Amino acid sequence: MESKPKKRDFPHWESLYQESPIEKMPWFYKDLDPDIKKALKDYQVPLGSCLDLGTGPGTQAVALASLGFIVTATDLSAKAIDLAQSKAQAQALKIQWQQDDFLKTQLKTSFDLVIDRGVFHIFEEEGRQQYLKNMQKLLKPGGYLFLKCFSKKETREEGPYRFNPEEIEAYFSPYFEILSIKETVYYGTLDPWPKALFMVMKRL
């Protein structure tokens, strides 16, 4: 693993969601992420309980609920939750929305599927280790984790931490069966789309 990666700066999430339209945010993608959609089909993931971690605009939570998953959607930003909830209510979808800091999570239940489309890659080393501990508690044995993060092939200066497949394997393989790691893109509002990794893992 990289010993001293460049320290990256992140916005104050609550202020960001209070001040900026969600449709303008880099990670906004109105439909179900194509990599998530394909993985659900390829691995024949059964409908069950799903945690959309770092839901942000809530688009992925809405799409998953529309498919029939029982969705809990969390975000560090209370404003993000309020905005996403109001949009989902307009579609009459039943989603459990909750403001939550994942590193100090208040969630008590466990899930069949966790979607992380941009949380793991904002943490430094200490946060990554706490993430792994909390994920083991919140994901049922045999449950799936779909993880998307920035790839080290991404060259733009701004943005989250980047990883290569070997680093992801080193972090997750003690606790997860890694079913696939592929190079892809981070669908959103940036042009071009950032280079990303998408992993499908199964909790041991």
Side-chain angles (χ1 to χ4, degrees):
M1 292 180 205
E2 213 172 69
S3 56
K4 288 186 178 181
K6 171 188 173 184
K7 182 172 175 59
R8 297 189 171 271
D9 296 320
F10 297 99
H12 184 274
W13 302 112
E14 185 68 11
S15 298
L16 179 67
Y17 279 96
Q18 288 177 355
E19 297 167 3
S20 304
I22 58 174
E23 294 82 3
K24 301 292 185 182
M25 294 180 182
W27 46 87
F28 178 82
Y29 190 75
K30 68 182 181 67
D31 300 314
L32 185 62
D33 186 303
D35 293 316
I36 295 174
K37 184 177 181 179
K38 186 175 187 300
L40 289 173
K41 181 179 179 181
D42 288 350
Y43 293 95
Q44 299 183 341
V45 178
L47 296 176
S49 58
C50 173
L51 171 63
D52 182 28
L53 184 63
T55 192
T59 55
Q60 304 305 296
V62 166
L64 290 160
S66 298
L67 292 176
F69 284 94
I70 303 166
V71 178
T72 297
T74 64
D75 201 277
L76 184 62
S77 166
K79 183 63 174 179
I81 291 295
D82 288 344
L83 292 169
Q85 185 172 11
S86 64
K87 289 182 177 292
Q89 285 175 339
Q91 300 182 47
L93 289 170
K94 186 177 180 181
I95 298 171
Q96 179 66 44
W97 303 95
Q98 184 172 333
Q99 189 276 333
D100 188 61
D101 178 350
F102 187 64
L103 297 187
K104 303 173 184 176
T105 183
Q106 300 301 306
L107 295 172
K108 302 299 182 185
T109 187
S110 55
F111 300 90
D112 300 304
L113 170 67
V114 175
I115 305 291
D116 175 356
R117 191 175 170 267
V119 175
F120 180 75
H121 68 185
I122 68 170
F123 295 132
E124 296 181 55
E125 183 62 30
E126 184 177 353
R128 293 169 199 165
Q129 296 304 324
Q130 188 61 49
Y131 174 105
L132 290 167
K133 291 178 183 178
N134 291 350
M135 190 60 70
Q136 291 175 74
K137 295 175 183 176
L138 292 178
L139 189 59
K140 296 177 182 177
Y144 288 91
L145 170 61
F146 291 178
L147 172 66
K148 178 166 278 192
C149 65
F150 266 38
S151 166
K152 281 194 170 173
K153 293 184 178 181
E154 176 53 48
T155 57
R156 53 169 49 91
E157 284 296 318
E158 70 278 5
Y161 292 98
R162 293 100 204 270
F163 299 88
N164 59 38
E166 293 75 21
E167 289 169 322
I168 292 295
E169 287 182 4
Y171 279 114
F172 286 89
S173 60
Y175 318 105
F176 293 85
E177 177 186 0
I178 299 175
L179 301 178
S180 65
I181 301 179
K182 75 169 188 174
E183 298 280 354
T184 182
V185 293
Y186 204 105
Y187 301 97
T189 61
L190 296 178
D191 184 16
W193 286 327
K195 293 179 172 60
L197 296 175
F198 180 73
M199 286 69 63
V200 177
M201 297 179 261
K202 204 168 188 180
R203 167 89 155 78
L204 295 175

